[in-house]
Amino acid sequence: MMMKVDFQSVKNVAKHPKGLVVTCVVNWLIKPFTMFGIAWFFLFVVFQHWIPTNLAHEYLAGAVLLGAAPCTAMVFIWSYLSNGNPAYTLVQVAVNDLIILVAFAPVVALLLGVSGVEIPYDTLLLSVVLFVVLPLIAGIITRTTVIKRKGKGSIGNMCWPELWRQPGSISSTKGSRK
């Protein structure tokens, strides 16, 4: 997936900023806090008699981690299924990848800190490096290498067939595209 991200396309954001603004606001100002609120309500109010407090804190930490991490891989699938603009989708993914580099750790630290769950900041930073920075660097290196060897047109031909081989992605979307 990271091989499809063309950071040069970020320059075109100014032409159609509404979709990008909505994506960023939802991903970084609404979704993490909503996930925290919903998880806290169910874990500490609705199911408080069935879930021990220490386990509820662990579940809450998992919900916060999921809520604060935008799924850029699924963006490609939903865009494809809705006949979206692939270039604009790449811009959204690229911008989210840039934002996650600086926003993920502080948002997670804030929400987990509010809930009393302690997580070392260096662990959060390590997770960003392992799950965002390294795949991003690998994607950039692979993209550059493939373009040099086979040309820019070969990138699109390589990625979409690989995407559809992922059974998890297909199982939730199979047959929904007209």
Side-chain angles (χ1 to χ4, degrees):
M1 282 301 152
M2 293 294 196
M3 193 170 77
K4 285 277 280 184
V5 179
D6 179 10
F7 285 97
Q8 296 301 318
S9 59
V10 176
K11 295 175 185 175
N12 298 325
V13 169
K15 293 178 183 175
H16 306 285
K18 285 183 186 177
L20 188 61
V21 169
V22 169
T23 298
C24 292
V25 167
V26 169
N27 279 344
W28 297 104
L29 299 178
I30 297 173
K31 186 173 59 92
F33 301 95
T34 304
M35 182 68 126
F36 171 81
I38 292 170
W40 184 88
F41 174 73
F42 278 97
L43 293 169
F44 293 99
V45 176
V46 175
F47 298 118
Q48 71 177 346
H49 300 294
W50 295 286
I51 301 175
T53 305
N54 62 334
L55 187 58
H57 281 292
E58 291 178 21
Y59 286 152
L60 181 64
V64 166
L65 290 170
L66 286 173
C71 180
T72 56
M74 287 305 292
V75 172
F76 289 111
I77 293 174
W78 300 126
S79 175
Y80 176 75
L81 291 174
S82 64
N83 293 319
N85 179 340
Y88 196 73
T89 301
L90 288 175
V91 170
Q92 287 181 314
V93 169
V95 169
N96 262 307
D97 286 344
L98 293 174
I99 292 172
I100 201 170
L101 293 174
V102 294
F104 179 78
V107 167
V108 170
L110 170 71
L111 293 174
L112 292 180
V114 166
S115 64
V117 176
E118 292 183 30
I119 185 165
Y121 209 78
D122 59 340
T123 301
L124 291 174
L125 294 176
L126 178 62
S127 69
V128 170
V129 168
L130 290 176
F131 298 111
V132 180
V133 175
L134 291 180
L136 197 55
I137 290 170
I140 290 169
I141 291 169
T142 304
R143 178 183 178 80
T144 305
T145 304
V146 169
I147 289 173
K148 283 181 182 176
R149 290 185 182 170
K150 297 185 177 188
K152 193 168 186 171
S154 61
I155 296 292
N157 295 335
M158 293 178 65
C159 293
W160 282 112
E162 292 299 318
L163 172 68
W164 292 110
R165 290 186 191 144
Q166 297 178 12
S169 301
I170 285 296
S171 65
S172 64
T173 58
K174 188 175 181 183
S176 60
R177 181 152 194 235
K178 304 225 185 260

